[in-house]
């Protein structure tokens, strides 16, 4: 089999987007043709028929089914792969709204997608009919069709906004975002609180528990049809790039649809042990890839250091030249070589996913410096014109800071990066140029896979692991599907291609496993927040609020899991009854006898553990007391025998002092090397000139230790060799308890039973199963009403802070401070409200107000956190002290009430925001920080969003409201003001 075999594209198709081949009329019987004709005539007279006539393509089956459900007045959940055409269902909902004189809201998880959808719908339905509402942008908000971020709609619902009047349809694009740990709860809030007459169109990537999610939607929203399609309209081929060769992942011609097992209606699929679908059809991994993997493994084994500590080489010590994978490891292609190979095989445009911003920027720089060009002169002229238009309003001083010229140079050659650190304007230009086929290679972080419409012919994955903020972890099968789903442009490409770059140690079977599984469960991240809870209380009262929260998808999933657990409990209870019958004794109550045996065993084990802990404590203490120069006898471990202590370890919880053995080995010793407390045998002086890295120094010190042992020199004063484990054995109460239990056991009637041990075996089984069953019961209790219980604890905190007050009838009412909290949305909502309450903003000017707001929204990367910086002014220093002290107190209260902790206030954005508000240049603002321009703009917009919320709080001090408005004006300038395409 050829190493680069496989169905590579022959060129674009001529069919329009979403086109599907009609079934052959000759295959239908006369009766079937007549019925189909009648159905087409009937459909033509409906809203759907009129909508179809506005399109230049035929609807796929799943699109037609979803649209028919909407037309009949039902909600829909549409789950389909990326690029399958889900959004056409949302557009039909908009069409219905306009035809029926109703409003339609189109919600998205990110502002970039909202901007993109606003532009598309504006072009289709006219600018006057389409509005946009995001956290920092408001355009034509009263239009019949409004695109918005999901948080904006949530805020409208809580504020009972008049904009909701005549709302008929809500399209929730990327609804699978409700699994997001930080923002997912907003989607559930919207679904739960929307008026019952509103039809909800939920558009989701393919998830493995779509039936479960649809069942919940049906419960909370009424009639909801579940439309699931696994079919990719553009076939997706899987490849691995080995060196510069692109090899098929699977043997034979195997596409995405063929390897995709059916979606499990009741939950996640079981990952197959081999590349085999649920239908039983197996798919073999390309044997050429398996050969490469074996060759690499053999080469790696041969290249391991031998006894001499060096790799196995020729006599002269020179490496032989590489002669292919049979004799050496695979030489990885550089990024320019990868792009050149894709270009040569007509696989561009391509998106290369690199899980690092710096890596994306470096990839563009490498391609530029390699001299590679992917564009024609005509394309370069178009790109230059568009890029220059985008940078026309940017002050010249800022262009250099933003890396404009480097960015422009890459675009002219057909290369671009795409990540959150870029200026939004730059990202939007890249998206448009790529969509128009002018930019051919984009290097992106995984955030591009979440919603932004940028399909490509090919998708390349540099690695199959990523850093999740704490550790490097393998990507999941669901993430693999999301990333590679971008490959294949409907109506343009005959097929799409997913290419994984070979890395040392790549396992082709594991890659095939990722490519062949569709395990992407949708799990709720919903939990009551302070703002959510107080808004529910204000609108519905406590009893109704609890009922609403119990209708969340989180509780729905918990309740479903409880059903399975309850079934297990019933089965175990039946087994317990059988065990109890088998251990019945004619001499007495064997259950009581078994309890005594169990108590005796537990008491003996507890005593043994207590002694072990005491012995370990003594050992740790003795290790911590060792001093440099002590010579000790290490009884166990890798190198038992005498050793010299080189350095103490007083501060560790488990001390591990460094020692030098008498055979010159350096190591550390711990309690695992000891049989009990350790004490010095003797002591020597370690010379100041001693260097553990110098063999002669080690030999001389070991010789001194041998002399000291031979002469029986005493250890330093104050050391006591303590091998007395009396402390560990001094457990009179436990020993008395054991003796009493043994007497009671011997006195029990069942002790003399001839079948006692047989009964005891059944008793052990009974006790083990009883423990397991009790554990399941505790799980059920823990999952029952979990959301409502969390809500009760949130209410306790709000009551303790005075946001809720007891009413005369024993209920709860919202205080004036509570009314303020209702209008504060964010992860630190209660801390923000407390900061206002305690006067943190009182003595600040507008620039300082903006800086303090940054403390309440900014989230630094873990590695960026350092020492607390000095604040720009005394008044701001005082304000920050108030916020930090209040956060510390709040954290204690949350810990006490077993609630998620409010994030720590971050001070890393204070100086940049303060400087920016004071009118400083962008270069000065970013100097000395690790902030990218795009990050800075994004955080400034979040500051603006918070300031806007504060300014609109009813009853807020007019002076502070005015300062918030001034602060917004100060920071909404320059790159922040022109960072949108709108």
């Amino acid at each position: 089999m050829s190493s680069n075999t496989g169905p590579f594209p022959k060129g674009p198709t001529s069919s329009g987007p979403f086109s599907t081949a009609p079934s052959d009329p000759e295959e239908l019987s006369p009766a079937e043709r007549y019925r189909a004709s009648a159905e087409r005539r009937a459909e033509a007279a409906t809203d759907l028929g009129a909508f179809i006539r506005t399109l230049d393509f035929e609807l796929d089956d799943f699109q037609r089914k979803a649209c028919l459900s909407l037309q009949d007045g039902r909600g829909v959940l549409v789950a389909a792969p990326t690029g399958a055409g889900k959004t056409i269902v949302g557009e039909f909902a908009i069409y219905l709204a306009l035809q029926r004189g109703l409003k339609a809201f189109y919600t998205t998880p990110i502002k970039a997608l909202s901007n993109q959808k606003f532009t598309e719908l504006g072009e289709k339905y006219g600018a006057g009919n389409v509005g946009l509402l995001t956290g920092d942008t408001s355009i034509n908000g009263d239009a019949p069709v409004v695109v918005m971020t999901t948080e904006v709609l949530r805020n409208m619902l809580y504020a009972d906004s008049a904009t909701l009047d005549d709302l008929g349809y809500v399209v929730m694009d990327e609804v699978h975002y409700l699994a997001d740990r930080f923002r997912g709860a907003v989607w559930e809030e919207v679904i739960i609180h929307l008026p019952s007459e509103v039809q909800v169109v939920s558009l989701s990537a393919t998830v493995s528990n779509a039936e479960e999610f649809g069942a919940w939607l049906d419960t909370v929203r009424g009639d909801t049809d579940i439309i699931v399609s696994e079919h990719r309209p553009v076939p997706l081929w899987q490849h691995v790039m080995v060196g510069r060769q692109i090899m098929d992942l699977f043997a034979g011609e195997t596409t995405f649809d063929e390897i995709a097992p059916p979606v499990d209606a009741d939950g996640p699929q079981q990952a197959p042990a081999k590349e085999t679908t649920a239908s039983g059809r197996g798919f073999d991994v390309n044997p050429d890839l398996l050969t490469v993997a074996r060759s690499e493994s053999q080469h790696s084994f041969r290249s391991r250091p031998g006894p001499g500590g060096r790799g196995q080489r020729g006599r002269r010590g020179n490496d032989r030249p590489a002669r292919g994978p049979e004799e050496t490891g695979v030489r990885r292609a550089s990024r320019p070589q990868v792009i050149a190979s894709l270009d040569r095989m007509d696989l561009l445009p391509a998106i290369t996913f690199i899980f690092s911003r710096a890596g994306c920027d470096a990839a563009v720089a490498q391609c530029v410096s390699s001299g590679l060009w992917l564009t024609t002169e005509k394309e370069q002229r178009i790109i230059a014109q568009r890029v220059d238009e985008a940078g026309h309003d940017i002050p010249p001083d800022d262009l250099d800071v933003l890396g404009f010229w480097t960015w422009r140079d890459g675009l002219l050659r057909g290369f671009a990066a795409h990540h959150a650190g870029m200026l939004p304007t730059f990202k939007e230009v890249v998206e448009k140029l790529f969509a128009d086929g002018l930019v051919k290679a984009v290097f992106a972080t995984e955030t591009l896979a979440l919603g932004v419409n940028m399909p490509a012919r090919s998708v390349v994955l540099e690695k199959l692991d990523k850093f999740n903020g704490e550790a490097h972890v393998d990507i999941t099968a669901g993430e693999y599907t999301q990333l590679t789903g971008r490959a294949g442009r409907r109506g343009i490409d005959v097929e799409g291609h997913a290419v994984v770059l070979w890395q040392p140690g790549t396992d082709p079977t594991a890659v095939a496993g990722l490519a062949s599984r569709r395990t992407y469960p949708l799990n709720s991240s919903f939990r009551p927040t302070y703002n959510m809870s107080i808004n529910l209380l204000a609108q519905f009262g406590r009893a109704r609020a609890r009922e609403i929260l119990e209708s969340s998808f989180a509780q729905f999933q918990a309740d479903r899991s409880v059903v399975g657990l309850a079934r297990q409990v019933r089965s175990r209870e039946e087994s317990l009854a059988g065990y109890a019958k088998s251990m019945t004794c004619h001499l007495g109550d064997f259950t009581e006898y078994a309890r005594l045996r169990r108590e005796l065993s537990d008491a003996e084990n507890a005593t043994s553990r207590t002694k072990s802990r005491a012995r370990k404590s003594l050992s740790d203490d003795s290790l911590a007391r060792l001093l440099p120069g002590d010579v000790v006898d290490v009884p166990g471990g890798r190198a038992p025998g005498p050793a010299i202590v080189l350095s103490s370890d007083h501060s560790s919880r488990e001390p591990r002092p460094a020692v030098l053995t008498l055979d010159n080995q350096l190591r550390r010793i711990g309690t695992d090397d000891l049989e009990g407390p350790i004490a010095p045998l003797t002591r020597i002086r370690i010379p100041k000139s001693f260097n553990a890295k110098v063999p002669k120094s080690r030999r001389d010190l070991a010789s001194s230790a041998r002399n000291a042992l031979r002469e029986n020199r005493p250890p330093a004063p104050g050391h006591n060799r303590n091998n007395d484990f009396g402390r560990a054995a001094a457990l009179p109460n436990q020993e008395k308890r054991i003796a009493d239990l043994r007497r009671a056991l011997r006195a029990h009637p069942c002790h003399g039973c001839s079948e006692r041990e047989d009964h005891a075996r059944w008793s052990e089984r009974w006790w083990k199963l009883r423990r397991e069953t009790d554990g399941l019961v505790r799980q059920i209790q823990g999952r029952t009403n979990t959301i409502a219980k969390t809500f009760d604890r949130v209410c306790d905190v709000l009551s303790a802070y005075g946001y809720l007050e007891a009413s005369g009838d024993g209920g709860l009412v919202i205080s004036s401070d509570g009314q303020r909290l209702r209008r504060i949305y964010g992860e630190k909502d209660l801390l923000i409200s407390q900061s206002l309450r305690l006067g943190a903003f009182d003595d600040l000017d507008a620039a300082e107000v903006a800086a303090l707001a940054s403390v309440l929204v900014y989230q630094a990367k873990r590695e960026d956190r350092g020492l607390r910086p000095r604040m720009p002014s005394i008044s701001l220093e005082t304000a920050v002290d108030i916020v930090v002290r209040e956060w510390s107190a709040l954290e204690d209260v949350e810990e006490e009430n077993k609630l998620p902790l409010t994030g720590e206030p971050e001070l890393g954005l204070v100086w940049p925001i303060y400087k920016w508000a004071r009118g400083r240049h962008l270069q000065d603002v970013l100097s000395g920080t690790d902030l990218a321009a795009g990050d800075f703009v994004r955080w400034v917009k979040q500051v603006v969003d918070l300031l806007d919320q504060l300014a609109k709080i009813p009853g807020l001090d007019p002076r502070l409201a005015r300062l918030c408005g001034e602060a917004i004006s100060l920071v909404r300038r320059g790159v922040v003001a022109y960072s949108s395409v709108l």
Side-chain angles (χ1 to χ4, degrees), residues 581-640:
K581 185 177 180 180
S582 297
M583 70 180 186
T584 302
C585 179
H586 67 286
L587 295 178
D589 184 356
F590 201 88
T591 302
E592 182 184 26
Y593 182 76
R595 179 181 57 78
L596 288 172
R597 283 177 65 125
R598 172 59 54 193
E599 288 182 10
L600 176 60
S601 175
D602 289 346
E604 288 173 341
N605 289 336
T607 300
S608 175
R609 286 194 299 270
T610 302
K611 289 180 178 179
S612 296
R613 283 196 297 269
R615 185 181 296 111
K616 186 176 186 304
S617 177
L618 288 170
S619 299
D620 284 341
D621 186 51
S622 67
L623 284 171
R625 292 201 308 268
L626 293 177
L627 301 172
D630 285 341
V631 180
V632 295
D633 185 15
V634 182
R638 290 176 299 158

Side-chain angles (χ1 to χ4, degrees), residues 634-917:
V634 182
R638 290 176 299 158
I644 308 112
V645 178
L646 299 180
S647 64
S648 304
D649 191 5
H650 306 300
S651 57
S652 299
R653 190 166 57 88
E654 295 186 355
R656 290 179 57 81
V659 300
L660 173 69
T661 64
L662 295 192
D663 55 355
N664 304 329
Q665 294 184 40
L666 294 170
R667 53 174 300 224
R668 288 186 177 273
I669 58 172
T671 53
D672 292 342
D673 303 314
L674 309 183
E675 298 171 355
I678 191 170
L681 303 174
T682 185
R683 180 172 175 77
I684 63 173
R685 187 181 67 83
I686 300 178
K688 291 183 179 180
S689 60
F690 174 76
N691 186 342
K693 296 181 180 180
V694 178
K696 185 178 184 304
S697 292
R698 296 201 299 269
R699 287 195 300 270
D700 291 347
L701 194 65
S703 176
S704 298
R706 280 191 286 270
N707 291 336
L709 289 170
R710 195 177 303 114
E711 296 169 6
N712 289 320
R713 297 179 198 164
H719 277 293
N720 292 318
R721 184 178 178 86
N722 185 1
N723 281 327
D724 179 13
F725 298 143
R727 284 169 55 189
L731 306 163
N733 292 333
Q734 290 182 346
E735 298 291 357
K736 182 178 183 302
R737 167 84 172 144
I738 290 171
D740 291 344
L741 286 170
R742 284 174 178 164
R743 280 193 296 271
L745 200 64
R746 286 193 295 268
H748 196 282
C750 293
H751 193 66
C753 179
S754 60
E755 298 180 359
R756 181 186 68 194
E757 292 310 310
D758 187 46
H759 295 329
R761 281 192 293 273
W762 283 108
S763 168
E764 284 300 317
R765 295 174 187 170
W766 189 92
W767 276 107
K768 182 180 179 182
L769 192 59
R770 180 76 267 169
R771 281 197 305 271
E772 293 175 358
T773 306
D774 290 344
L776 290 174
V777 171
R778 284 192 296 274
Q779 286 187 51
I780 291 173
Q781 292 170 343
R783 296 184 189 185
T784 304
N785 301 322
T786 50
I787 304 299
K789 289 174 184 175
T790 303
F791 171 70
D792 289 338
R793 293 196 294 271
V794 169
C795 289
D796 290 342
V797 172
L798 292 174
S799 296
Y801 274 99
Y803 289 90
L804 299 177
E805 297 172 345
S807 62
D809 58 0
L812 292 173
V813 295
I814 315 297
S815 68
S816 56
D817 288 326
Q819 294 294 343
R820 178 171 58 204
L821 178 58
R822 290 187 63 194
R823 296 294 172 261
I824 299 174
Y825 306 97
E827 292 182 26
K828 297 184 176 74
D829 46 10
L830 185 55
L831 180 61
I832 294 168
S833 182
Q834 282 295 98
S835 300
L836 287 171
R837 190 182 193 184
L838 297 173
F841 289 87
D842 288 356
D843 298 324
L844 306 179
D845 60 24
E848 291 167 337
V849 165
L852 184 60
S854 76
V855 174
L856 296 163
V857 298
Y858 180 56
Q859 293 177 349
K861 294 179 181 178
R862 193 172 60 171
E863 61 269 22
D864 292 343
R865 294 171 180 169
L867 297 175
R868 173 171 171 169
R870 179 180 57 83
M871 293 295 103
S873 66
I874 295 175
S875 55
L876 194 54
E877 185 83 50
T878 304
V880 168
D881 280 341
I882 293 172
V883 173
V884 172
R885 280 199 308 270
E886 189 54 30
W887 165 76
S888 180
L890 175 59
E891 189 178 47
D892 292 341
V893 173
E894 289 170 332
E895 280 186 341
E896 183 181 341
N897 285 273
K898 298 179 181 177
L899 290 173
L901 303 182
T902 297
E904 182 178 358
E906 299 281 0
L907 309 182
L909 198 63
V910 170
W911 272 103
I913 288 285
Y914 182 80
K915 290 178 179 178
W916 186 249

